């Protein structure tokens, strides 16, 4: 069987699976077009990080209901998905009356086609940007959509729980699409976890469309299993005077590549991206964090701290991009890594791309091992070395953790970090 025949059969199988699922025609057409492009696109570039031998694509669109019933705390505004199955969805009647939408992405594609079609991988993550983006759209098998109309402020956060069902071998290709109207305010809490130990691929993309004068805060904790190879992308599009704040904890146990990108398109738009990561054992993680200043008088801040344990590897690329015409803009970033062993591998790369004169830009970066003087001081006060190391790590990550506004999320993240450190030391 030649390559042309194989591609034809693959596209036919993809189209049939989408039709059987009940996807609208416009989504099926987008899937097929994306699948055609896959082989002609490059993989996303993570500078100074090689992941060419990773298996990140499984080109088989299958629909499988999950029978798992994990315990998840109930939220006031909440959606919980286990694999491709929506386990729980809470949206108060008061918010429904105001026009707020919270549902799975395939229901949204059927019921709200104008909203989804206009924003699904069109503004923030074009599906022809790289190979994993096209693969994502072609083989999308799960996801969530939320919409906040103009002039609506949510008192309670939107709680999004995505649980990968790794009791079976099946990739999870999940998309979160949020559209936030003018002058609206919302907090989104996103949590990725894994149940089961089968080897799997996860490709998860979050898109936030923040319209004029809106304020969006996204706190995300990624806690995927050791047998999951993950590609995670979070991307925002900020219009005039919109504010988008990210607070992300990368606590995955398996190999991970991540792209976090915010486009400040409107005048006066702002973004603040805070990231903490801990890698352990032989884990490898590469992270691109980028803010692009496109509109005038836009402001972007990046703060990344990471801890590297065992023989693991962590690469941070902080990218501030001020394009021509974005006068009066600001781009600041800080990338710092702490290596806890002689066998750890780390890279912190600050990158400034500036094509405008009337701007302010700066960066800081450091990669170093734990300070033995700090450890000696703590041990001289009666602490064991392992306990002293954990205190040093907490202090190092504290600059980022203290900047996370939600106390509950901050405490949750501290607990996850503590468990990861204890597991590595044991």
């Amino acid at each position: 069987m030649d390559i042309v025949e194989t591609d034809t059969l693959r596209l036919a199988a993809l189209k049939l699976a989408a039709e059987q699922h009940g996807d609208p025609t416009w989504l099926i057409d987008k899937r097929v077009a994306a699948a055609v492009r896959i082989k002609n696109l490059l993989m996303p570039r993570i500078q100074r990080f090689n992941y060419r031998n990773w298996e990140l694509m499984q080109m088989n669109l299958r629909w499988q209901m999950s029978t798992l019933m994990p315990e998840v705390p109930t939220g006031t505004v909440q959606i919980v998905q286990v694999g491709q199955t929506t386990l729980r969805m809470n949206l108060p009647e008061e918010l429904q009356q105001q026009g707020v939408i919270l549902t799975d992405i395939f229901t949204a594609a059927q019921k709200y086609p104008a909203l989804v079609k206009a924003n699904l991988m069109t503004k923030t993550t074009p599906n022809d940007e790289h190979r994993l983006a096209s693969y994502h759209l072609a083989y999308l098998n799960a996801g969530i959509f939320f919409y906040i109309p103009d002039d609506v402020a949510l008192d309670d956060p939107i709680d999004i729980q995505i649980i990968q069902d790794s009791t079976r071998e099946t990739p999870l290709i999940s998309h979160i699409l949020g559209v936030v109207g003018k002058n609206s305010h919302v907090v989104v809490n996103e949590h990725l976890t894994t149940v089961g130990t089968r080897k799997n691929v996860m490709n998860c993309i979050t898109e936030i469309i923040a319209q004029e004068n809106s304020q969006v805060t996204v706190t995300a904790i990624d806690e995927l299993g050791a047998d999951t190879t993950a590609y995670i992308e979070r991307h925002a599009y900020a219009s005039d005077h919109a504010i988008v704040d990210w607070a992300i904890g990368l606590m995955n146990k398996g190999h991970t590549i991540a792209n976090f990108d915010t486009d400040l398109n409107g005048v006066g738009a702002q973004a603040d991206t805070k990231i903490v990561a801990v890698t352990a054992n032989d884990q490898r993680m590469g992270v691109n964090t980028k803010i692009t200043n496109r509109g005038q008088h836009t402001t972007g801040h990046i703060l990344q701290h990471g801890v590297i344990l065992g023989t693991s590897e962590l690469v941070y690329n902080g990218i501030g991009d001020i394009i021509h015409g974005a006068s009066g803009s600001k781009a600041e970033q800080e990338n710092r890594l702490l290596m806890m062993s002689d066998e750890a591998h780390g890279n912190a790369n600050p990158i400034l791309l500036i094509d405008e004169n009337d701007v302010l830009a700066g960066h800081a970066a450091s990669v170093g091992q734990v300070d033995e003087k700090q450890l000696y001081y703590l041990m001289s006060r009666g602490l064991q070395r392992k306990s002293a190391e954990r205190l040093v790590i907490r202090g190092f990550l504290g600059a980022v953790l203290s900047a996370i506004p939600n106390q509950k999320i901050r405490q949750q993240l501290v607990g996850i970090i503590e468990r990861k450190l204890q597991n590595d030391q044991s």
Side-chain angles (χ1 to χ4, degrees):
M1 187 178 294
D2 61 24
I3 295 176
V4 174
E5 187 176 356
T6 301
D7 285 347
T8 300
L9 291 174
R10 178 171 59 85
L11 294 175
L14 172 65
K15 185 176 181 180
L16 178 61
E19 289 173 344
Q20 292 175 339
H21 185 245
D23 289 355
T25 301
W26 67 264
L27 180 54
I28 295 174
D29 291 342
K30 275 180 170 283
R31 285 185 183 275
V32 173
V36 170
R37 284 192 290 267
I38 289 174
K39 64 181 180 181
N40 297 320
L41 295 172
L42 299 175
M43 296 292 279
R45 185 185 181 194
I46 310 293
Q47 299 211 37
R48 301 190 182 183
F49 190 79
N50 183 3
Y51 62 95
R52 293 178 184 175
N53 61 337
W54 294 13
E55 182 183 0
L56 288 162
M57 297 186 294
Q58 296 176 5
M59 298 186 191
N60 184 10
L61 182 61
R62 293 180 295 171
W63 305 104
Q64 294 182 320
M65 298 295 289
S66 177
T67 58
L68 292 177
M69 298 290 290
E71 293 186 8
V72 179
T74 301
T76 304
V77 185
Q78 183 185 51
I79 185 165
V80 180
Q81 286 191 341
V82 182
Q84 300 172 26
T85 304
T86 300
L87 182 66
R88 181 188 302 159
M89 188 161 58
N90 297 330
L91 182 62
E93 180 67 26
E94 177 186 354
L95 294 180
Q96 295 181 44
Q97 293 297 326
Q98 294 181 66
V100 176
I101 299 169
L102 178 64
T103 186
D104 72 273
I105 200 160
F106 297 115
T107 297
Q110 291 280 7
K111 295 180 66 174
Y112 314 104
L115 278 174
V116 179
K117 185 177 180 180
N119 295 293
L120 179 62
M121 301 190 78
T122 58
K123 293 184 174 68
T124 69
T125 309
N127 64 80
D128 60 352
E129 187 173 36
H130 53 73
R131 187 175 296 174
L132 292 181
S134 282
Y135 165 74
H136 177 94
L137 181 56
Y139 292 92
L140 182 67
N141 61 20
I144 292 162
F145 173 77
F146 67 87
Y147 170 69
I148 314 297
D150 295 349
D151 304 307
V152 173
L154 269 67
D155 295 327
D156 296 299
I158 297 177
D159 181 31
I160 296 175
Q161 303 271 344
I162 296 178
I163 303 168
Q164 180 188 33
D165 182 356
S166 282
T167 61
R168 62 184 80 183
E169 290 185 11
T170 182
L172 182 58
I173 317 300
S174 180
H175 196 97
I176 299 171
L177 174 60
V179 180
V180 182
K182 300 176 182 177
N183 309 307
S184 293
H185 298 180
V186 65
V187 174
V188 181
N189 297 334
E190 180 185 335
H191 194 187
L192 308 183
T193 56
T194 301
V195 175
T197 58
R198 304 296 289 271
K199 289 188 178 298
N200 270 317
V201 170
M202 184 170 190
N203 183 311
C204 185
I205 293 180
T206 297
E207 291 187 284
I208 301 296
I209 312 299
Q211 298 179 355
E212 288 87 342
N213 296 303
S214 63
Q215 294 184 25
V216 185
T217 299
V218 181
T219 60
I221 298 178
D222 301 340
E223 202 178 358
L224 299 173
D227 297 301
T228 296
T229 302
Y231 174 74
I232 299 172
E233 180 166 333
R234 294 186 172 96
H235 203 147
Y237 178 100
S239 299
D240 289 352
H241 304 290
I243 299 174
V244 180
D245 289 341
W246 300 95
I248 302 169
L250 282 167
M251 300 294 128
N252 297 334
K253 297 178 182 177
H255 297 329
T256 303
I257 55 173
N259 265 318
F260 305 131
D261 199 342
T262 303
D263 287 330
L264 302 176
N265 290 272
V267 174
Q270 301 177 43
D272 193 332
T273 303
K274 298 172 285 291
I275 298 174
V276 294
V278 178
T279 58
N281 302 315
D282 60 352
Q283 181 185 8
R284 300 185 64 230
M285 183 181 293
V287 183
N288 276 356
T289 303
K290 182 178 181 181
I291 296 178
T292 303
N293 301 71
R294 300 186 186 277
Q296 295 182 347
H297 305 289
T298 52
T299 302
H301 291 154
I302 296 171
L303 177 62
Q304 304 187 106
H305 282 202
V307 175
I308 315 171
L309 307 169
T311 61
S312 63
E313 178 184 10
L314 175 58
V315 173
Y316 272 156
N317 294 312
I319 307 167
D321 188 2
I322 302 178
I323 71 166
H324 184 68
S327 59
S329 293
K330 300 177 183 178
E332 298 286 344
Q333 61 172 286
E334 178 183 315
N335 313 275
R336 301 196 185 279
L337 294 175
L338 179 64
M339 297 188 294
M340 298 301 295
S341 82
D342 294 335
E343 298 177 290
H345 301 273
N347 234 313
N349 307 308
I351 301 169
L352 290 176
L353 308 172
I354 301 174
D355 193 21
E356 181 59 55
N357 293 321
D358 181 22
V359 298
L360 291 175
H363 63 75
S366 66
V367 178
Q369 292 189 325
V370 63
D371 190 332
E372 290 294 333
K373 291 182 180 179
Q374 286 183 329
L375 289 179
Y376 177 79
Y377 175 82
L378 293 171
M379 292 168 65
S380 70
R381 297 308 189 263
L383 292 177
Q384 297 295 318
R385 184 179 178 90
K386 292 180 180 180
S387 298
E389 287 179 346
R390 291 205 295 272
L391 282 179
V392 170
I393 290 170
R394 284 188 213 166
F396 176 75
L397 297 178
V400 183
L401 294 173
S402 62
I404 296 175
N406 188 307
Q407 182 179 2
K408 182 179 178 181
I409 297 296
R410 189 164 62 244
Q411 292 174 343
Q412 183 181 5
L413 189 52
V414 169
I416 294 169
I417 291 170
E418 187 66 22
R419 288 198 300 272
K420 193 160 187 177
L421 295 177
Q422 289 177 345
N423 290 338
D424 178 77
Q425 289 179 336
S426 62

